[in-house]
Amino acid sequence: MPVSSCQRVFYRHHFSVRDYDLSATLNSGQTFRWTLVGEGWEGVVDGRFVRLSGDLSGITAETVEPVGPWDWLADYLQVQVDYAAVVAALPRDAVFQAARAYCHGLRLLRQAPWECLASFILSSTKQIGQISRVIEALCEQYGEPVRMPPGRKQRHSFPTADRLAPCSERELRGCGMGFRAPYLQAAARAVSAGQLDLESIRRLDLPSARRVLTGLKGVGPKIADCVLLFAYGFDGAFPVDVWVHKALQRYFFADRPMTPRQRLHFSQTHFGPMAGYAQQYLFHYIRRPIK
DNA sequence: TTCCAGGTATTAC
DNA sequence: GTAATACATGGA
């Protein structure tokens, strides 16, 4: 229902969900377009401005336009997930005993495949803050403006593959993405030309899906697993970046050197069917601010 | 100034 | 097969 206050009109919906740490979830490196404004998080999902605020009873969402059913956002937020079952499937070692406490309510989102793929192509050897800047520049340049509440800076949808496919490498570099420009361009062209069907990946098993994504230039095992975990919901995907590598080395290998082969074997055997959640816990846990 | 960032492709042993 | 190196850009 519409809610008026002064000149503002928001359409509101409340998702009743427990054990959901909205801030940790939106701020844990799986998505790059949310910003904290006052008490809430504001971003663009499916081409719409969305404001989210979390409390003990759940999540309140606000938009500036009526949106009909809220399934699209429920799916994005993954509010239906049996979180107790996820937590129960995490390892029972000493590391996760501590990580469980610190990361309680940390969730995985279900993002749009193209946005997720493109975003992580742009992520390699960049700090999270810089990834956000590059993505925002790309959206401003090539996305469509979205309707905003009064007083907010204009924001834009994430540009489609069709919109990016005709761009030159030079144009893309203008958004600050450096050597990643040809990778993004090639991916956009593959999707736009129909050579890469992102929807069909949903029906593959994890190894096959990995092979499809790593077939793209600039997409290796880490980026592929990010997309499989954050966009497609492959709970067994286990992206290993510098932070997760550090966590594995410190917490499970006593800071001793660890060969890629040892790391792979350990990560495939220790974390179980919810390895992807375990990975997100490790990432969030090892990056915690030092007290 | 120098170093490094949610990696990957290329080249060298 | 496994180990170095280059790669753009900008913030710390």
Side-chain angles (χ1 to χ4, degrees), chain A residues 96 206 210 221-222 224-226 228-229 234-241 244-245 248 252 263-264 266-268 270-272 274-280 282:
Chain A
F96 270 84
L206 181 53
R210 278 184 177 130
K222 186 271 175 183
D225 271 30
C226 282
L228 293 173
L229 185 60
F234 283 90
D235 292 325
F238 194 87
V240 178
D241 72 317
V244 173
H245 177 86
L248 291 174
F252 298 104
R263 187 183 78 182
L264 183 65
F266 184 80
S267 62
Q268 285 180 344
H270 186 71
F271 297 104
M274 290 293 162
Y277 278 89
Q279 175 276 156
Q280 201 64 12
L282 286 179

Side-chain angles (χ1 to χ4, degrees), chain A residues 138 142 163-175 177 181-182 184-186 189:
Chain A
L138 184 72
Y142 299 107
R163 179 67 187 87
L164 294 179
C167 292
S168 69
E169 188 180 318
R170 174 183 291 275
E171 287 173 318
L172 294 176
R173 276 179 194 261
C175 299
M177 65 185 71
L184 179 62
Q185 185 195 50
R189 290 181 176 182

Side-chain angles (χ1 to χ4, degrees), chain A residues 65-141:
Chain A
E65 293 178 308
V67 294
W70 291 80
D71 308 28
W72 56 283
L73 191 54
D75 184 57
Y76 177 87
L77 294 169
Q78 290 285 286
V79 292
Q80 88 294 350
V81 162
D82 182 350
Y83 192 67
V86 169
V87 173
L90 295 175
R92 305 204 167 277
D93 56 48
V95 173
F96 270 84
Q97 197 162 346
R100 254 197 201 87
Y102 181 74
C103 302
H104 182 77
L106 176 61
R107 304 282 192 125
L108 291 175
L109 301 167
R110 183 69 56 88
Q111 302 178 57
W114 168 246
E115 176 171 345
C116 190
L117 172 62
S119 295
F120 278 95
I121 284 175
L122 300 179
S123 75
S124 63
T125 58
K126 267 195 167 317
Q127 297 182 108
I128 290 179
Q130 294 187 19
I131 299 167
S132 295
R133 287 173 195 274
V134 171
I135 289 172
E136 217 49 33
L138 184 72
C139 293
E140 283 177 27
Q141 193 67 232

Side-chain angles (χ1 to χ4, degrees), chain A residues 43-44 49 52 57 64 79 89 91 94 121 131 139 153 156 166 168 193 201 212 219 231-233 256 266 276 282:
Chain A
V44 180
F49 167 86
L52 299 173
S57 72
V64 284
V79 292
I121 284 175
I131 299 167
C139 293
K153 182 174 181 290
H156 300 74
S168 69
I201 290 177
V212 171
V219 179
Y232 291 100
R256 284 191 293 275
F266 184 80
L282 286 179

